[in-house]
Amino acid sequence: MLLKGKIRLPNTIVPRFPDRIKPPEKKKKEEEDDDHDEGREEEELRTFQVGGGGGGEERSEGEIWPDDGDENWTVLRAHHRIKIDIGREVSWDKRSDLEFELSQKVVNLEALRSIASCGHLAEEFRSIVWKLLLGYLPAEKDLWKGELAKNRLRYAELKRELLLNPSEFLIKEDETSNSSMPGQDNEAGGLLCRREISNGDHPLCLGNGSIWNQYFKDAEIVEQIDRDLHRTHQDIKFFSGDSSFSRKNLEAMRNILLLFAKLNPAIGYVQGMNEVLAPLYYVFRMNQEGEDASEAEADSFECFVQLLSGSVDHFCQQLDNSSVGIHSTLLHFSELLKANDGELWRHLDASKMNPQFYAFRWITLLLTQEFELSTIMRIWDYLLSNPSGVQEILLRVCCAMLLCVRHELLSGDFVSNLKLLQHYPEVDLEHVLDVASHLKTPISSYQPYGIV
């Protein structure tokens, strides 16, 4: 569960790939079509809304709605079920293949990777598939229940041990102490027992061993986490707004990030980790199939640690110039581009377009700040399905993103290209992933740190 010690995150010619930026006219027409589709979809969503009076809902089997009865959340949930994989419906044949693989006593992970990689992952199965691809669940289906129970119990124990404030901790300590000495009240003649308070128990104690001193230090981390969480996907009500549902979601994410920071003090919390956590928690919380929020929180924590372990050295400033640091990864990224499009590589190099100006964020945050959440989930289906690990295929996707806008980059200068790459345009995502899968590997043969 613990990661290595880290510190902080700063912010021959080959066939050319056609540009896939959508023309303005086409984008405008698609937006009009989307508006028309949304109007029609709203009619469908009404059948999912909360009924009046008795508070009953029409829901599909296994659905979970927010606790506060907010009708907007009912629509959100229904919308989540109707729109599958960025508006692309999964064919029934592929859906049957996925259901068949998940029904086997031993899941064929190779077949599962193929289904996820090709974009045939139905929304309601994404949670269980990600847990399998991340290694959180074993392939043997009979072991799932026990493995989940063990991991969730361990997470609950870590929370009780590390996330209690000192007052709660001392009260529980007193209760444990009293319960271990039966008859003490009778011996004291009914008088309340006095408790000795050590220096470490006092709120004004600043010693390194003081539980109160540690609590106040944690409060500073919590403040930073909260600032970042309140900026996470503000366009999605799951993460924003005043509903009890969104507040509980942010509280769960705060617990995960704080617990990670306390278990890995050499790394701590780094700005941007909230962005990496968001897709995991969203998928697990929205696909619970009867489980409560605490179980989604526990599963998200374990998978977050597993996902981050494959790129942990990118978060350590002291390792930036080492063979496993971010600068080495950016060098391999540059070599990959050079091997697949020498002309584009020379143009960017001549204009001093250092990959650190744009690809640093792409790589460290797993593209979570470059696309909308629905698109991110499709990209992660592809990344997690790679048997060689996330980092190796992530560099290929980043390189493909450059190749898909090569015409604009070749005709642009430093300023225009920097703006383009820091605000990546809307493209045909499936084409980007297809380009990534057909890139040739440079002779240096990059061996990424960590295999997910």
Side-chain angles (χ1 to χ4, degrees):
M1 181 172 300
L2 297 182
L3 299 181
K4 287 185 175 181
K6 307 295 159 194
I7 303 193
R8 58 189 175 86
L9 181 71
N11 205 26
T12 355
I13 302 297
V14 296
R16 300 176 182 175
F17 300 96
D19 298 319
R20 290 303 177 101
I21 297 181
K22 296 182 179 180
E25 297 81 10
K26 183 178 180 181
K27 289 178 67 176
K28 182 176 180 181
K29 183 178 185 303
E30 289 179 350
E31 289 171 358
E32 292 175 352
D33 292 342
D34 288 344
D35 291 340
H36 176 71
D37 292 341
E38 287 175 4
R40 184 174 62 240
E41 193 173 63
E42 287 176 2
E43 293 295 326
E44 298 173 356
L45 292 175
R46 287 175 187 154
T47 61
F48 290 82
Q49 294 180 4
V50 179
E57 305 94 40
E58 293 186 27
R59 63 182 72 183
S60 59
E61 183 178 356
E63 282 284 30
I64 303 171
W65 304 111
D67 299 331
D68 57 4
D70 185 345
E71 134 178 318
N72 290 330
W73 284 112
T74 308
V75 174
L76 169 66
R77 187 67 181 181
H79 182 73
H80 181 76
R81 287 294 187 182
I82 291 174
K83 296 189 71 175
I84 295 176
D85 288 331
I86 328 170
R88 298 169 57 254
E89 289 194 4
V90 178
S91 69
W92 285 108
D93 289 341
K94 296 299 181 181
R95 183 187 181 92
S96 298
D97 290 344
L98 179 57
E99 290 179 336
F100 172 78
E101 297 299 341
L102 293 177
S103 69
Q104 301 303 297
K105 288 187 176 181
V106 178
V107 177
N108 186 332
L109 294 180
E110 184 178 352
L112 206 62
R113 290 190 185 101
S114 176
I115 293 171
S117 176
C118 295
H120 301 309
L121 189 57
E123 190 75 31
E124 59 266 37
F125 297 116
R126 178 170 279 126
S127 175
I128 193 69
V129 170
W130 280 14
K131 290 172 186 176
L132 285 162
L133 296 181
L134 281 165
Y136 178 57
L137 287 179
E140 296 81 1
K141 197 170 181 179
D142 289 343
L143 301 179
W144 288 4
K145 185 176 181 180
E147 194 69 19
L148 287 172
K150 179 186 70 175
N151 289 331
R152 291 165 178 174
L153 177 61
R154 178 173 58 185
Y155 180 75
E157 292 173 346
L158 286 172
K159 283 183 66 176
R160 283 194 295 269
E161 178 183 351
L162 298 176
L163 298 189
L164 280 179
N165 68 50
S167 296
E168 294 173 327
F169 175 80
L170 294 174
I171 290 173
K172 288 183 176 294
E173 193 176 57
D174 283 345
E175 291 174 348
T176 302
S177 176
N178 292 336
S179 64
S180 64
M181 294 185 293
Q184 182 179 16
D185 289 344
N186 294 333
E187 294 176 6
L191 297 177
L192 295 176
C193 297
R194 296 176 61 86
R195 179 181 182 278
E196 294 293 332
I197 299 178
S198 67
N199 289 335
D201 293 344
H202 199 283
L204 298 181
C205 178
L206 300 179
N208 290 332
S210 169
I211 57 177
W212 282 97
N213 185 37
Q214 184 59 52
Y215 173 72
F216 293 134
K217 288 182 179 179
D218 292 345
E220 296 177 5
I221 302 175
V222 170
E223 183 178 355
Q224 182 183 359
I225 291 174
D226 283 341
R227 282 198 304 267
D228 293 341
L229 285 177
H230 287 293
R231 293 194 292 259
T232 304
H233 295 291
Q234 284 299 291
D235 57 326
I236 300 177
K237 289 185 177 180
F238 180 93
F239 300 100
S240 62
D242 296 326
S243 70
S244 63
F245 184 56
S246 62
R247 288 196 298 270
K248 289 176 182 177
N249 292 334
L250 294 184
E251 180 182 355
M253 293 175 67
R254 181 195 305 119
N255 291 339
I256 293 169
L257 295 170
L258 178 58
L259 188 56
F260 176 87
K262 288 175 71 67
L263 288 170
N264 301 276
I267 308 172
Y269 169 75
V270 176
Q271 186 178 21
M273 287 182 176
N274 58 301
E275 300 288 349
V276 178
L277 173 60
L280 284 173
Y281 185 73
Y282 179 85
V283 168
F284 294 166
R285 182 69 178 94
M286 295 293 279
N287 290 271
Q288 287 182 289
E289 302 299 342
E291 299 168 0
D292 61 35
S294 64
E295 293 173 339
E297 180 181 330
D299 296 345
S300 298
F301 172 77
E302 297 286 349
C303 289
F304 176 72
V305 172
Q306 181 65 23
L307 181 62
L308 211 59
S309 66
S311 59
V312 65
D313 288 319
H314 295 160
F315 291 84
C316 181
Q317 191 176 30
Q318 287 100 329
L319 293 177
D320 279 354
N321 296 313
S322 71
S323 61
V324 294
I326 186 62
H327 291 164
S328 176
T329 300
L330 291 172
L331 177 61
H332 290 303
F333 168 72
S334 182
E335 291 174 349
L336 183 62
L337 175 62
K338 184 178 181 180
N340 286 275
D341 195 328
E343 181 184 7
L344 180 57
W345 175 84
R346 286 190 293 271
H347 177 76
L348 295 178
D349 185 62
S351 63
K352 308 299 181 184
M353 181 58 66
N354 192 317
Q356 188 167 358
F357 298 152
Y358 59 93
F360 183 94
R361 186 177 71 185
W362 293 4
I363 294 169
T364 55
L365 302 186
L366 305 183
L367 297 172
T368 54
Q369 289 192 326
E370 316 311 317
F371 301 96
E372 295 181 353
L373 182 59
S374 58
T375 306
I376 293 167
M377 291 189 292
R378 169 64 187 105
I379 293 174
W380 280 27
D381 292 344
Y382 183 77
L383 297 180
L384 296 177
S385 66
N386 183 44
S388 299
V390 168
Q391 287 298 306
E392 188 269 343
I393 197 64
L394 175 62
L395 294 189
R396 290 177 170 271
V397 173
C398 293
C399 183
M401 288 168 62
L402 294 181
L403 298 178
C404 289
V405 294
R406 73 182 307 276
H407 175 75
E408 286 72 17
L409 292 173
L410 288 174
S411 61
D413 57 13
F414 176 86
V415 175
S416 62
N417 287 343
L418 183 62
K419 182 178 180 181
L420 176 69
L421 296 178
Q422 289 188 344
H423 301 85
Y424 195 76
E426 184 181 356
V427 295
D428 183 340
L429 177 62
E430 294 304 319
H431 175 67
V432 173
L433 300 182
D434 182 63
V435 170
S437 65
H438 289 89
L439 294 179
K440 65 179 183 180
T441 304
I443 298 177
S444 61
S445 185
Y446 172 49
Q447 295 294 329
Y449 165 78
I451 299 296
V452 174

